[in-house]
């Protein structure tokens, strides 16, 4: 039977010579499999994940290597295993390729029960899912690849909205259904994931989330030196926790009447240039959350801590008066316990956390976070964690390979890596009783 593609090509008038020889267009994935084995990732998977029955045809290595190859070969869905990859990975010496259904069933079997929590004053029940085992695996592999060390680490925490109409997804603040997982990055590598439903915004019960995060870090013997987060972390219980868990923290502060009065009283401003325009910067000592907030949490006023707030202001172009300060300026504030950095250094260092937004874009566009595989929050937590591991492994791979291959750079996004390296015509052949990879291209190695 002539394939539809062949019929279409012949209709274009192109002369075609058929061949029964099968060549893998994703030959570069074999080098990735070899690298993962050399790293011992297969052994970590078998040791840390639940033991499978001896009768199982596919081990965790087969399931995960096959799953990760979907994204490393340019796929977007688990079904791409059957549609685009299985035929090319047939008889591969590194991995046995299972069906999509087998991968899906194994992932579902790993899911854990959701937590349903309530806030002190809230009317809603919040659905969270934290997978202790998989967070431990994520961090262990990240650390094993030397992407995270034990000391002097920078941690960035943020939440992102994953738009989806899954059966249990709920309405988000962006006026669409989805989930809103909380993610911690260590040196821009995913280090912790807590999945939460759409209506549970970033500040809701964040102290519980960070408590789980720091517990996961301690299990892997990782100490955070500096912690950065946006204004959703400007919470009394979070700040008190950070005092104990990290050396220095940097949080975007939120406006309030008391803080507005403190800022309005500042007389000593330093003129700076901000994006080519005049601006002003100063710093004050400030004790946040006095009064009702402290009483609600049973904290005495004298037990509240005083922090440094670095304030930057810039004239508003519309001339609108600020309700708190009574002047026509735009304000941004960073609260920190760091009194050693200069004001400018604090702002520059805090602004570097903007890289996390690019990491979210990469996870969504390259590693499947835009197209969640399952219909339940708990099962999608498994999916998010395994794709995050794939992203971290890719970072190790591109950094390692860029030192060997002239046409690769450590800054390449996944798509460029696929074009430059994975899309390498190759075929496994037997030679002298051994399997060898025959490559139909020239690899420009560094010398």
């Amino acid at each position: 039977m002539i394939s539809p593609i062949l019929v279409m090509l012949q209709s274009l008038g192109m002369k075609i010579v058929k061949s029964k020889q099968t060549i893998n267009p994703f030959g570069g994935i074999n080098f990735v499999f070899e690298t993962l084995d050399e790293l011992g990732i297969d052994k970590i998977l078998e040791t840390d994940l639940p033991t499978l029955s001896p009768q199982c045809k596919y081990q965790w290595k087969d399931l995960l290597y096959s799953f990760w190859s979907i994204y490393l070969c340019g796929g977007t869905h688990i079904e791409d295993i059957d549609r685009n990859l299985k035929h090319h990975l047939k008889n591969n010496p590194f991995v046995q390729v299972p069906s999509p259904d087998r991968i899906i069933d194994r992932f579902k079997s790993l899911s854990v029960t959701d937590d349903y929590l309530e806030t002190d004053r809230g009317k809603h029940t919040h659905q969270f899912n934290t997978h202790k085992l998989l967070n431990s695996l994520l961090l262990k592999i990240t650390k094993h690849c030397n992407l995270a060390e034990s000391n002097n680490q920078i941690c960035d925490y943020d939440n992102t909205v994953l738009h989806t109409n899954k059966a249990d997804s709920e309405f988000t603040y962006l006026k669409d259904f989805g989930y809103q997982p909380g993610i911690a990055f260590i040196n821009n590598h995913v280090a912790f994931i807590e999945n939460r439903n759409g209506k549970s915004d970033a500040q809701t019960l964040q102290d519980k989330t960070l408590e789980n995060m720091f517990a996961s870090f301690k299990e892997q013997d990782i100490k955070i030196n500096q912690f950065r987060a946006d204004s959703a972390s400007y919470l009394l219980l979070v700040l008190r926790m950070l005092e104990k868990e990290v050396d220095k923290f940097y949080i975007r502060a939120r406006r309030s009447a008391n803080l507005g009065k403190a800022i309005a009283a500042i007389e000593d401003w330093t003129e700076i240039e901000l994006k080519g325009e005049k601006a002003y910067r100063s710093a004050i000592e400030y004790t946040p959350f006095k009064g009702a907030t402290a009483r609600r949490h049973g904290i005495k006023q004298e037990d509240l801590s005083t922090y440094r707030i670095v304030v930057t202001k810039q004239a508003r172009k519309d001339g609108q008066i600020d309700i708190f300060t009574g002047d026509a300026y735009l304000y941004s504030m960073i609260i920190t316990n760091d009194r050693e950095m200069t004001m400018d250094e604090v702002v520059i260092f805090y602004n570097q956390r903007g890289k996390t937004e690019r990491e979210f874009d990469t996870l969504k566009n390259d590693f499947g976070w835009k197209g969640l595989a399952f219909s339940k929050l708990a099962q999608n937590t498994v999916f998010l964690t395994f794709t995050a591991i794939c992203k971290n492994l890719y970072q190790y791979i591109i950094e390692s390979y860029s030192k060997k291959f002239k046409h690769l750079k450590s800054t390449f996004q996944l798509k460029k890596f696929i074009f430059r390296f994975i899309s390498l015509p190759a075929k496994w052949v037997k030679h002298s009783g051994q399997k060898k990879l025959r490559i139909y291209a020239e690899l420009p190695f560094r010398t």
Side-chain angles (χ1 to χ4, degrees), residues 40 95 236 287 405 409:
V95 63
L236 175 57
T287 306
F405 299 100
K409 294 182 180 179

Side-chain angles (χ1 to χ4, degrees), residues 366-383:
D366 294 344
F367 294 95
W369 282 29
K370 269 188 176 179
L372 301 177
F374 301 100
S375 59
K376 295 183 179 179
L377 184 82
Q379 295 165 0
N380 280 313
T381 303
V382 178
F383 175 81

Side-chain angles (χ1 to χ4, degrees), residues 122-383:
K123 299 179 181 179
H124 300 293
T125 299
H126 299 275
Q127 181 185 9
F128 293 174
N129 189 272
T130 306
H131 204 305
K132 184 177 179 181
L133 172 66
L134 293 190
N135 271 318
S136 176
L137 178 67
L138 166 66
L139 200 52
K140 185 173 183 178
I141 289 177
T142 304
K143 190 176 179 182
H144 184 75
C145 295
N146 295 319
L147 299 175
E149 299 177 356
S150 294
N151 296 306
N152 300 321
Q153 298 299 287
I154 299 172
C155 176
D156 292 300
Y157 176 82
D158 204 353
N159 290 68
T160 189
V161 173
L162 302 180
H163 298 284
T164 181
N165 288 315
K166 299 299 181 181
D168 62 354
S169 62
E170 296 184 359
F171 214 55
T172 73
Y173 73 94
L174 294 178
K175 305 186 186 303
D176 198 1
F177 285 91
Y179 301 143
Q180 197 170 170
I183 315 295
F185 296 88
I186 291 181
N187 298 340
N188 296 321
H189 307 299
V190 185
F192 176 83
I193 296 175
E194 177 203 68
N195 207 0
R196 50 172 64 195
N197 221 322
K199 71 180 178 184
S200 303
D201 60 17
Q203 66 179 352
T204 300
L205 297 168
Q206 191 183 123
D207 57 307
K208 302 295 183 184
T209 299
L210 296 185
E211 185 178 320
N212 292 331
M213 181 194 77
F214 284 118
S216 178
F217 291 169
K218 287 176 183 176
E219 282 186 3
Q220 296 297 326
D221 210 20
I222 289 179
K223 177 70 171 67
I224 300 301
N225 181 37
Q226 296 167 300
F227 178 92
R228 299 180 293 207
D230 64 14
S231 61
S233 298
Y234 184 63
L235 302 164
L236 175 57
L237 296 183
V238 168
L239 294 183
R240 290 174 70 84
M241 178 189 298
L242 293 176
E243 285 187 74
K244 300 175 183 178
E245 299 290 351
V246 304
D247 295 329
K248 300 288 191 301
F249 62 81
Y250 310 81
I251 308 291
R252 179 76 68 186
R254 289 198 301 270
R255 308 293 302 280
S256 68
N258 287 336
L259 181 54
K261 290 178 182 178
I263 292 173
I266 298 176
E267 297 180 353
D268 184 19
W269 292 95
T270 300
E271 184 177 319
I272 62 171
E273 185 178 300
L274 196 61
K275 294 181 179 179
E277 297 184 5
K278 184 188 297 185
Y280 302 89
R281 185 164 287 158
S282 189
I284 58 173
E285 294 292 314
Y286 179 72
T287 306
F289 306 113
K290 291 180 179 179
T293 302
R295 289 193 298 272
R296 187 168 71 251
H297 293 291
I299 300 172
K300 297 179 181 179
Q301 302 293 315
E302 57 267 26
D303 292 334
L304 293 173
S305 297
T306 298
Y307 306 105
R308 180 191 188 194
I309 292 190
V310 177
V311 186
T312 304
K313 70 176 184 178
Q314 194 169 19
R316 296 184 62 115
K317 294 181 179 179
D318 59 8
Q320 184 176 336
I321 300 299
D322 186 280
I323 190 173
F324 293 116
T325 60
D327 54 23
Y329 284 93
L330 289 170
Y331 287 88
S332 64
M333 298 84 63
I334 299 169
I335 188 167
T336 179
N337 61 346
D338 187 340
R339 294 175 174 86
E340 298 174 4
M341 284 188 182
T342 66
M343 295 185 294
D344 291 345
E345 287 172 340
V346 167
V347 174
I348 291 170
F349 179 72
Y350 177 82
N351 288 341
Q352 288 172 355
R353 70 173 292 276
K355 294 178 182 178
T356 60
E357 288 300 324
R358 294 197 291 274
E359 300 303 325
F360 282 137
D361 287 341
T362 298
L363 286 163
K364 292 175 182 178
N365 295 318
D366 294 344
F367 294 95
W369 282 29
K370 269 188 176 179
L372 301 177
F374 301 100
S375 59
K376 295 183 179 179
L377 184 82
Q379 295 165 0
N380 280 313
T381 303
V382 178
F383 175 81

